[in-house]
Amino acid sequence: MKKSFGAKTLAFPNPEWCVGSYDIKDQPNLMTIAWGGICCSKPPAVTISLRKATYTYGNIMARRAYTINIPSVKFVKEADFVGMASGKREDKFEATGLTPVKSDLVDAPYVDEFPMILECKVIHTHEIGLHTQFIGEIIDVKVDQATLTDEGLPDMNKVRPFIYGNEIQTYHQIGNKIGDAFDIGKKLF
Amino acid sequence: MKKSFGAKTLAFPNPEWCVGSYDIKDQPNLMTIAWGGICCSKPPAVTISLRKATYTYGNIMARRAYTINIPSVKFVKEADFVGMASGKREDKFEATGLTPVKSDLVDAPYVDEFPMILECKVIHTHEIGLHTQFIGEIIDVKVDQATLTDEGLPDMNKVRPFIYGNEIQTYHQIGNKIGDAFDIGKKLF
């Protein structure tokens, strides 16, 4: 038996990502988002949705670039703080002690301490309603060497991203592997 | 020190969701996606990206509706199978034993056994490249009563969604809570 929650933005799980941008004074800024995800394979692209009222919205409209900075669980406090403060009033890099690195590829800063970074150039913007959707072409993905497997791929247990449960407003770490994709389904029969 | 992976769709974590639709013969179909997420609060909306080659693409273009069906970990085999088979050749509900339920609200079926369902009407489509992005207004979210907390909200540990690690092609369950949103960040200082 199911309970109807009505027309709500309720879906599990949502990513917990920080978006890096420069403001008009070249000050690096960060904001935390959960409305985002990969949206195209060719060109490789990732979407984020922002309200016009955010400081980052103006930054990205002006620079046409952003980074996605994926925090590991040890940065849950920093990511949550970044989601509460505004770059209009506060230097969030200074407040959190995180280190901004100027991207060589796009006009946006990224977070040195976070294990996985996507550098993006805006290729489309879409007005949906309260939120504007930015579609960013992924120019490069950078991953901490220390989080790679022997095969050179990112290890989920070393990157240690976390998810946001909206409506219930809780963060959860990623747990154990439960199967290989394009494989475990063969064991259904 | 970071390693560059180049222009790739590499980002952790991605949701593992099944999309429900009807084909031209009113046959219910399911496909598995990882390119999706909430994209607007007002109207509440969720985006999914599909290749034109998929059977579901044609279904959604014709019906202008879809459901998002969030599997719990016990359905990892079914979800993976759904991601490998095509509705052009196979009835995936019959193959998996999952039960299609006709939505009263949108012209699409949902999966009875999955704990969290979003019923969506298409309000925009965007051509990004290989993938077309559908923006669906969320008309209702239905959640299994058995997965609710005493306060009537979905419990992450009872819904038990899972995530997809792309590039590494593995599924992972959601682990322990690591903090409350809009709260743990206050403990940074």
Side-chain angles (χ1 to χ4, degrees):
Chain A
M1 191 61 188
K2 287 185 165 63
K3 175 183 168 179
S4 278
F5 281 79
K8 257 191 189 305
T9 52
L10 171 55
F12 290 167
N14 305 280
E16 175 80 355
W17 289 346
C18 294
V19 175
S21 65
Y22 283 121
D23 77 2
I24 198 166
K25 293 178 230 157
D26 289 325
Q27 190 78 18
N29 187 42
L30 270 185
M31 82 173 283
T32 301
I33 65 139
W35 293 177
I38 300 286
C39 65
C40 188
S41 299
K42 288 183 191 174
V46 61
T47 178
I48 56 172
S49 287
L50 306 183
R51 288 177 298 111
K52 284 195 173 67
T54 60
Y55 198 52
T56 297
Y57 173 90
N59 294 352
I60 298 179
M61 284 304 260
R63 303 291 182 115
R64 311 296 293 177
Y66 59 86
T67 59
I68 290 178
N69 302 270
I70 302 175
S72 53
V73 293
K74 68 178 170 180
F75 293 110
V76 63
K77 288 179 189 168
E78 286 81 354
D80 191 49
F81 170 82
V82 163
M84 291 189 286
S86 171
K88 281 176 204 166
R89 289 180 295 275
E90 192 159 8
D91 179 337
K92 291 194 253 184
F93 277 97
E94 192 175 275
T96 53
L98 296 171
T99 311
V101 178
K102 189 174 167 51
S103 166
D104 290 334
L105 301 171
V106 305
D107 192 8
Y110 65 83
V111 179
D112 197 30
E113 290 83 357
F114 286 8
M116 187 179 274
I117 309 293
L118 283 70
E119 295 161 279
C120 307
K121 285 187 182 173
V122 174
I123 53 172
H124 302 284
T125 62
H126 301 134
E127 299 298 333
I128 316 279
L130 181 63
H131 284 77
T132 300
Q133 195 186 45
F134 292 94
I135 309 290
E137 181 173 347
I138 302 166
I139 307 300
D140 193 21
V141 181
K142 291 180 166 64
V143 184
D144 271 357
Q145 298 272 9
T147 66
L148 303 180
T149 62
D150 292 343
E151 292 76 39
L153 287 172
D155 186 327
M156 189 68 73
N157 295 321
K158 292 179 179 168
V159 175
R160 301 200 74 198
F162 57 100
I163 64 103
Y164 174 54
N166 57 328
E167 290 295 318
I168 59 172
Q169 299 197 348
T170 48
Y171 301 121
H172 300 257
Q173 61 184 306
I174 305 300
N176 291 335
K177 174 178 150 178
I178 55 169
D180 288 309
F182 311 110
D183 181 60
I184 194 171
K186 294 174 194 164
K187 294 168 190 157
L188 184 59
F189 307 105
Chain B
M1 191 63 189
K2 286 185 164 63
K3 174 183 168 180
S4 278
F5 282 79
K8 257 193 187 309
T9 52
L10 170 57
F12 290 167
N14 305 281
E16 176 80 355
W17 289 346
C18 294
V19 174
S21 64
Y22 283 121
D23 75 3
I24 198 165
K25 292 178 232 156
D26 290 324
Q27 191 77 18
N29 187 41
L30 270 185
M31 81 173 281
T32 301
I33 64 138
W35 293 176
I38 299 287
C39 65
C40 189
S41 299
K42 288 182 192 174
V46 63
T47 177
I48 56 172
S49 287
L50 306 184
R51 287 176 298 111
K52 284 194 173 70
T54 61
Y55 198 52
T56 297
Y57 174 89
N59 294 352
I60 298 179
M61 284 303 261
R63 302 293 181 115
R64 311 297 291 178
Y66 59 87
T67 60
I68 290 179
N69 303 270
I70 302 176
S72 54
V73 293
K74 69 177 168 180
F75 294 109
V76 61
K77 287 179 191 168
E78 285 80 355
D80 190 50
F81 170 82
V82 162
M84 291 188 286
S86 172
K88 280 176 207 170
R89 289 180 295 275
E90 191 158 9
D91 179 338
K92 291 195 253 185
F93 278 96
E94 192 175 275
T96 55
L98 296 171
T99 311
V101 178
K102 188 173 166 53
S103 166
D104 289 333
L105 301 171
V106 305
D107 191 8
Y110 64 83
V111 179
D112 197 31
E113 290 84 355
F114 286 10
M116 186 178 275
I117 308 294
L118 283 70
E119 294 161 280
C120 307
K121 285 186 182 173
V122 174
I123 54 173
H124 302 285
T125 60
H126 301 134
E127 299 297 334
I128 316 278
L130 181 63
H131 284 78
T132 299
Q133 195 185 44
F134 291 94
I135 310 289
E137 182 173 347
I138 301 165
I139 307 301
D140 193 21
V141 181
K142 291 180 166 63
V143 184
D144 271 356
Q145 298 273 9
T147 66
L148 303 181
T149 63
D150 292 343
E151 292 76 40
L153 287 172
D155 186 326
M156 189 67 73
N157 296 321
K158 291 178 180 168
V159 176
R160 302 201 74 201
F162 57 99
I163 62 104
Y164 174 54
N166 56 328
E167 290 294 320
I168 59 174
Q169 299 196 348
T170 48
Y171 301 121
H172 300 258
Q173 61 182 308
I174 306 299
N176 291 335
K177 175 178 150 178
I178 55 168
D180 288 309
F182 311 110
D183 180 60
I184 194 172
K186 295 173 191 162
K187 294 170 189 156
L188 184 60
F189 307 106

